[in-house]
Amino acid sequence: MRAIAVLVLCVGLAVSAGEAQTSISTVASADGTPIAIECAGAGPSLVIVHGGTGDRTRWTPLFPLLASKFRVCAMDRRAHGASGDTLPYGLQKEVEDVVAVVAAQPGPVFVLGHSFGAVCAFEAAFHTTKIARLALYEPPVRLADHSAILARMEAMMRSGDREGALMTFMREIVMISADEVAAMKARPSWAGLLASVETSVRQDRALSQYQFDPARARTMTVPTLLMAGSKTASPELKRSIDSLRQTLPHHTLRIFEGQEHNAMDTIPQEFAATLSSFLLEPAR
């Protein structure tokens, strides 16, 4: 593997009282794209890969719950937050980004992925031996063709209706309830979701070409925590979890009762406790 370049941009950033201090750096991916990561705490390395919209900042509220146990690092996926982007786009480049960030961390690494980011994390585990454990929240590994919906989203964005495009993505593809969307709009991370809505189109198109291979999944040796919300409505997300549950030989399933696609936002303490327990349990 080519050398990984790490550029420290800011060390020991001061954050509000009661939160963990963080540092921000960049890692060069295989194609040279700079991938930003924000880290806090000390202990085993935990890399977090965010979902289809937003950036690393949607995870920083969990830093105080994790930084006492881990050196937790949330990455900006390419074209999100402070990370760069290099065309042409492809899912494999996203996987290479995760592999590069993992390679830059000391020792064995835990990886948590949410939604689209969970697909990237899952695929990365086939391309590096540094991932010791995986935690995946509703990875859409079995996705249908959303061409008509994506075309409507693109038309909305061309007319300047970014929020309409994002709402269409959330309601018709992810199938989040109206209450959950309202809760998301009330959080500081909503602005970041709006800022990155264009990327949802190319990501969804890439996922529609992704072929989940059950035989390949059965060869996965990394212990994996599969997480989902009991109220998640999307049949594609449910089918994806079922496919992984039926094929991954070393998995643990955790269903969060009463939750949808964003349990890390709605029940952060329970989410962090579940994640920490799995990642730190003794090897069997």
Side-chain angles (χ1 to χ4, degrees):
M1 179 181 293
R2 52 173 282 174
I4 304 297
V6 181
L7 170 64
V8 177
L9 300 179
C10 184
V11 179
L13 282 177
V15 293
S16 59
E19 294 185 355
Q21 285 195 333
T22 68
S23 63
I24 299 177
S25 61
T26 63
V27 173
S29 190
D31 67 350
T33 302
I35 304 298
I37 58 174
E38 183 171 2
C39 301
S45 297
L46 168 60
V47 169
I48 302 178
V49 191
H50 66 80
T53 55
D55 54 33
R56 72 182 191 276
T57 61
R58 72 92 42 88
W59 291 96
T60 51
L62 269 72
F63 277 20
L65 302 176
L66 297 170
S68 64
K69 303 178 182 70
F70 308 97
R71 180 178 177 270
V72 55
C73 297
M75 61 180 280
D76 280 332
R77 290 183 28 254
R78 62 175 52 216
H80 296 75
S83 288
D85 191 25
T86 304
L87 298 177
Y89 174 78
L91 179 60
Q92 185 58 31
K93 287 189 176 182
E94 298 261 17
V95 175
E96 291 170 354
D97 297 344
V98 177
V99 171
V101 171
V102 167
Q105 310 312 310
V109 179
F110 302 138
V111 179
L112 162 64
H114 173 240
S115 194
F116 182 90
V119 178
C120 302
F122 173 67
E123 282 297 312
F126 289 102
H127 292 84
T128 175
T129 59
K130 276 182 65 76
I131 297 179
R133 293 198 174 209
L134 272 176
L136 309 176
Y137 196 104
E138 297 189 343
V141 296
R142 302 290 299 272
L143 202 65
D145 183 1
H146 299 142
S147 297
I149 300 173
L150 298 176
R152 282 194 284 116
M153 288 176 59
E154 287 177 318
M156 290 176 186
M157 286 185 282
R158 284 195 297 269
S159 69
D161 186 9
R162 301 177 64 82
E163 182 161 309
L166 179 57
M167 297 283 277
T168 298
F169 177 75
M170 294 296 181
R171 290 174 175 171
E172 299 186 33
I173 294 180
V174 187
M175 295 188 178
I176 292 175
S177 70
D179 287 346
E180 183 79 351
V181 170
M184 292 178 70
K185 291 180 71 172
R187 298 183 189 117
S189 59
W190 183 252
L193 302 184
L194 286 173
S196 60
V197 65
E198 288 96 344
T199 63
S200 299
V201 175
R202 72 178 190 179
Q203 291 161 183
D204 196 279
R205 288 195 172 120
L207 274 183
S208 70
Q209 301 300 314
Y210 175 79
Q211 297 293 321
F212 176 74
D213 185 346
R216 180 167 171 261
R218 291 188 181 96
T219 69
M220 173 70 74
T221 59
V222 179
T224 303
L225 174 64
L226 300 175
M227 295 178 285
S230 68
K231 291 179 65 179
T232 292
S234 168
E236 295 172 1
L237 292 176
K238 291 178 180 179
R239 185 165 63 248
S240 294
I241 285 290
D242 285 343
S243 294
L244 291 169
R245 179 179 56 81
Q246 293 163 9
T247 56
L248 292 181
H250 308 288
H251 78 271
T252 300
L253 179 64
R254 175 68 161 89
I255 304 296
F256 292 99
E257 290 299 322
Q259 302 304 310
E260 298 184 41
H261 196 54
N262 298 303
M264 68 291 300
D265 297 323
T266 53
I267 50 169
Q269 291 183 331
E270 182 179 349
F271 180 90
T274 298
L275 176 67
S276 299
S277 177
F278 171 78
L279 296 180
L280 297 175
E281 71 177 1
R284 299 174 183 174

